[in-house]
Amino acid sequence: MPTAPPPDTAEWDDVRAPRQVGLAAMTILGARAGAVVEDPAVPALYFFIPAGAASSWQSEDTNALPAGAPVPLPPARRTGGPGPYWRICPGADGWLTDPSALSAALADAVAATSSAEPV
């Protein structure tokens, strides 16, 4: 699969979140979100964070992936399936989301999606 030109992989880690949690976190983050990839096959969303941040990641229901871990990078500007696509395309403002803001948004999203599930 062709990929978008990635930033230097030594400069970023990834956080994989379940689709519903990731979508809720994107809404909470708004303009503070960096680039986000959705992979319908998993189904999950991938957020990009600064390198090294994955080593101390402790956000419920998410997985931190260290620099160099395989992440599906869609072609530039692919914003729909089939296959992985950009929920938020990389832009001039960069790829990265602040890890503290992402952690807080994901915690809020997990709480919101957990309370919305039937018991």
Side-chain angles (χ1 to χ4, degrees):
M1 167 194 318
T3 60
D8 181 353
T9 56
E11 295 182 14
W12 52 271
D13 294 344
D14 299 286
V15 172
R16 181 177 54 221
R19 183 177 187 276
Q20 289 307 113
V21 171
L23 291 173
M26 277 180 47
T27 299
I28 293 165
L29 286 166
R32 297 176 297 155
V36 179
V37 170
E38 181 168 351
D39 184 358
V42 176
L45 270 65
Y46 294 84
F47 294 84
F48 300 87
I49 57 175
S55 65
S56 60
W57 189 261
Q58 295 182 2
S59 187
E60 184 180 349
D61 290 345
T62 65
N63 295 318
L65 308 172
V71 173
L73 291 177
R77 307 295 174 220
R78 176 188 283 169
T79 57
Y85 62 93
W86 296 104
R87 275 285 178 168
I88 300 176
C89 292
D93 294 339
W95 288 57
L96 305 179
T97 299
D98 176 81
S100 298
L102 179 58
S103 180
L106 287 166
D108 290 348
V110 166
T113 56
S114 295
S115 65
E117 292 177 4
V119 178

